[in-house]
Amino acid sequence: MYHDPNTANILTNGHNVPNKVTSNGTTSANGSFGAEGPETETDSSGTGGMRKSLERKGSAPNDAVHLQRRVGLFSGVALIVGTMIGSGIFVSPSGLLVRTGSVGVSFIIWLACGLLSLLGALAYAELGTMNTSSGAEWAYFMDAFGPAPAFLFSWVSTLVLKPSQMAIICLSFAQYAVEAFVTECDPPTSVVKMVALLAIVMILFVNCYSVNLGMAVQNIFTAAKLVAVLIVICGGAWKLFQGNTQHLSNAFSGDTPTLGAVATAFYTGLWAYDGWNNLNYVTEEIKNPSKNLPRSIMIGIPLVTLCYALINISYLAAMSPTEMIDSEAVAVTFGNRILGALAWLMPLSVTVSTFGSANGTLFAAGRLCFAASREGHLMDILSYVHVRRLTPAPGLIFHSLIAAAMVLYGTIGSLIDFFSFTAWIFYGGAMLALIVMRFTKPNYPRPYKVPIIIPVVVLVISIYLVVAPIIDTPRIEYLYALLFILGGLIFYVPFVKLGMTPRFMNKVTLFFQLLLEVVPTSSMFE
């Protein structure tokens, strides 16, 4: 990938920007790993992945531009909780009931999804403390398998997974926000999409303006959504105190779901839990990551699981399973039953929750784009940061543009199905990476280490989640997803492996670098 050093000279007061050799042997000016400075070490496996010195504070003395460590324990927990609790818990309970056929099985799946998320996140904590560079799975695939699998992950995540996740959340936000003003009929689709686009623009501005502002918004909205969760739990507790337990009895009555139905029910539940790995995308910006990363996970995910379990019980204390299934917005129906004149608090709570979740999603997604392009796997401009605000603005803008396109042309249901199936392919790949590196890199520093059985269990479950729906109900969409993943090799071989770059990219990089006032994180003073 190409970078014009003359542009960096303009934006860094005339100081030269050195080139670096990427993992595939091509030359790039993206430089070292941001906040950790220029010192790197080559993986002992020979894959070429680069690791930063663990726990170094700040940048090298002559590093002009870098990402700073500004995410503490509270902000880490807020990022996990804030991105996990989005629209899922307010919509997904009905989907789980449809696919499982019984209250008991759906409740077990809710708890199992929380346990699976916790086990997966603990394994990610080991990976994140081994390699403290941003990018999560991309960085781990580089260390364990080399550049080709890492590129395929960045290819799918940058173009599909992360943007679709944000598009789904923003569409949910818009749906609830517009419904507050339209009571007689369904809100116009065009209005919903316009509000979703407005939300994307607002979130993009917040995250481009300041990392501190982005985390402040995340902290505030996380606190607000926890208050909303508490309102639901207290309302349900009041109904249970009045003796409304009839819907919780005979919880396992109903047909036994098939293995494929259980897998698709897991997809619905895991969508509500998704975001458990988002903190790993910003490890370069976490203060003391070897301690705060696992601590944030151990606090955040059990808290979300407890909230989800209590919310489901509260729903069933106020309405029957059939009413939950028929309701398009379970939380709103619950509010109408319990809160009376204050029922408007529920749609407001959903909009607050989804906005905070979308903010955290973009915050993490921009860091993946930043990390992958820094190694030459994407356009170099996507690895640059703003010269004054120190935010990865190009990566944030790129993700937002794709998410906006998905909002205009996609639907929530179609996006969720593709997202869940494809995401668990890579989650399983991360578990395999951890297992492989236990043997190929036995002497790597591991400030936090999980029992090997944890990644093995998560790997087996991820294989089941990918294979079972294909066997139970084969759909052409699954084939499209696999072909899209492998299709990345068409771009990897010429542009990354062979280092071919179209000449016009020189001018493109120069134009956007001047327009956005961004520079590589390796802008070094002579």
Side-chain angles (χ1 to χ4, degrees), residues 277-457:
N277 63 329
N278 272 351
L279 196 58
N280 286 68
Y281 286 96
V282 299
T283 45
E284 286 182 34
E285 296 165 82
I286 300 175
K287 301 173 183 176
N288 195 7
S290 65
K291 293 183 179 179
N292 285 335
L293 177 60
R295 285 176 181 174
S296 298
I297 289 169
M298 292 176 186
I299 295 172
I301 297 179
L303 175 61
V304 172
T305 304
L306 177 63
C307 289
Y308 283 3
L310 295 177
I311 287 174
N312 274 280
I313 294 174
S314 297
Y315 286 157
L316 290 167
M319 64 189 84
S320 68
T322 302
E323 289 172 323
M324 287 181 63
I325 292 172
D326 293 337
S327 174
E328 294 184 0
V330 178
V332 174
T333 304
F334 175 87
N336 293 333
R337 295 280 180 87
I338 301 295
L339 301 178
L342 297 177
W344 55 270
L345 284 173
M346 280 299 97
L348 175 63
S349 299
V350 176
T351 55
V352 168
S353 180
T354 48
F355 188 87
S357 183
N359 180 76
T361 299
L362 182 62
F363 186 90
R367 274 63 183 176
L368 167 63
C369 210
F370 166 82
S373 57
R374 192 171 49 185
E375 277 291 311
H377 285 194
L378 299 171
M379 293 182 293
D380 280 352
I381 189 66
L382 299 180
S383 70
Y384 293 2
V385 299
H386 195 276
V387 68
R388 293 185 305 277
R389 304 192 183 280
L390 305 180
T391 56
L396 295 169
I397 295 171
F398 183 73
H399 270 287
S400 298
L401 289 174
I402 299 178
M406 290 183 172
V407 165
L408 290 173
Y409 298 105
T411 62
I412 293 178
S414 62
L415 291 173
I416 287 179
D417 287 342
F418 183 88
F419 175 88
S420 300
F421 173 78
T422 310
W424 276 95
I425 294 176
F426 292 113
Y427 291 158
M431 297 303 108
L432 182 61
L434 190 153
I435 296 169
V436 166
M437 286 191 288
R438 283 289 183 92
F439 298 98
T440 60
K441 306 178 190 304
N443 299 320
Y444 257 38
R446 290 176 170 86
Y448 177 82
K449 189 175 182 179
V450 296
I452 192 65
I453 188 63
I454 288 181
V456 170
V457 168

Side-chain angles (χ1 to χ4, degrees), residues 29-183:
N30 288 338
S32 63
F33 274 158
E36 297 302 312
E39 294 182 13
T40 56
E41 60 184 84
T42 304
D43 291 346
S44 57
S45 64
T47 62
M50 306 297 288
R51 292 191 71 253
K52 301 193 300 278
S53 302
L54 191 64
E55 300 302 344
R56 288 190 57 205
K57 298 179 180 179
S59 63
N62 60 344
D63 192 2
V65 181
H66 56 276
L67 295 178
Q68 297 178 339
R69 295 196 182 277
R70 291 180 278 194
V71 180
L73 177 61
F74 182 83
S75 295
V77 173
L79 183 62
I80 292 175
V81 175
T83 51
M84 290 178 71
I85 301 179
S87 62
I89 188 58
F90 302 105
V91 178
S92 292
S94 56
L96 269 176
L97 282 173
V98 169
R99 290 176 171 177
T100 59
S102 73
V103 170
V105 175
S106 66
F107 191 76
I108 289 175
I109 290 180
W110 273 111
L111 295 178
C113 288
L115 178 60
L116 178 60
S117 299
L118 178 60
L119 294 179
L122 291 176
Y124 269 59
E126 176 177 331
L127 289 166
T129 53
M130 282 179 64
N131 186 334
T132 58
S133 60
S134 295
E137 292 94 343
W138 177 87
Y140 314 145
F141 289 176
M142 281 288 293
D143 279 352
F145 309 127
F151 173 83
L152 293 180
F153 171 77
S154 62
W155 153 263
V156 176
S157 292
T158 302
L159 295 180
V160 177
L161 291 185
K162 291 301 179 183
S164 68
Q165 185 180 19
M166 187 173 181
I168 294 166
I169 297 171
C170 288
L171 281 170
S172 300
F173 163 83
Q175 186 77 26
Y176 279 92
V178 174
E179 280 181 354
F181 301 95
V182 180
T183 56

